[in-house]
């Protein structure tokens, strides 16, 4: 099993920045990739960004490209999401997820492990 704990959410004004962290524990050696997803009220969970745990290959959704940066620190077993130029439409609960499957995917169904989520609210 892998346990994931997010932190770093909060309330910020439009144009501001936040950095989310996701600390992994347990069978971290089994992780192939990790990702960030978000879910706004009344909407489906959507992909934000993903990264391979070993090689650091990344991919981001078009809606956040140029504003959000995903990274990881293997020594700390931690993944990050640096969010700049935040917009009100970025308001959501942000979840980190991990998968042992050797796929580079944006589908939530391919991720076996999930954190509890952290709220990000961007005011206009």
């Amino acid at each position: 099993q892998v346990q994931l704990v997010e932190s770093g959410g909060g309330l910020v004004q439009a144009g501001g920045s936040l950095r989310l962290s996701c600390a992994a524990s347990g069978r971290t050696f089994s992780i192939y990739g990790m990702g960030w997803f978000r879910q706004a009220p009344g909407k489906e969970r959507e992909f934000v960004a993903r990264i391979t745990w070993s090689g650091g290959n990344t991919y981001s959704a078009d809606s956040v490209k140029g504003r959000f940066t995903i990274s990881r620190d293997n020594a700390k077993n931690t993944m990050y999401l640096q969010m700049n130029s935040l917009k009100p439409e970025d308001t959501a609960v942000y979840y980190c997820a991990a998968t042992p499957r050797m796929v580079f995917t944006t589908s939530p169904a391919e991720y076996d492990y999930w954190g509890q989520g952290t709220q990000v609210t961007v005011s206009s």
Side-chain angles (χ1 to χ4, degrees):
Q1 290 287 347
V2 174
Q3 293 79 42
L4 304 173
V5 178
E6 303 101 332
S7 61
L11 173 64
V12 64
Q13 290 187 332
S17 298
L18 283 174
R19 188 176 83 154
L20 305 183
S21 299
C22 175
S25 60
R27 298 172 61 89
T28 57
F29 61 85
S30 68
I31 296 174
Y32 175 77
M34 296 186 72
W36 287 100
F37 293 80
R38 65 186 182 186
Q39 189 166 18
K43 294 188 176 181
E44 293 187 354
R45 190 166 298 188
E46 67 170 349
F47 167 77
V48 176
R50 65 188 183 203
I51 188 167
T52 56
W53 195 241
S54 60
N57 291 332
T58 63
Y59 179 75
S60 299
D62 288 343
S63 58
V64 305
K65 278 181 181 176
R67 300 188 300 123
F68 291 10
T69 301
I70 189 171
S71 63
R72 89 277 184 259
D73 184 334
N74 287 3
K76 296 182 178 180
N77 285 338
T78 300
M79 176 179 66
Y80 304 98
L81 186 68
Q82 177 66 45
M83 305 186 295
N84 298 328
S85 303
L86 282 161
K87 305 176 181 179
E89 51 263 43
D90 294 319
T91 295
V93 176
Y94 283 70
Y95 298 89
C96 70
T99 179
R101 308 165 199 235
M102 294 185 68
V103 291
F104 205 44
T105 178
T106 63
S107 171
E110 296 290 347
Y111 289 81
D112 294 340
Y113 308 107
W114 292 84
Q116 81 286 354
T118 185
Q119 177 70 47
V120 171
T121 303
V122 185
S123 63
S124 57

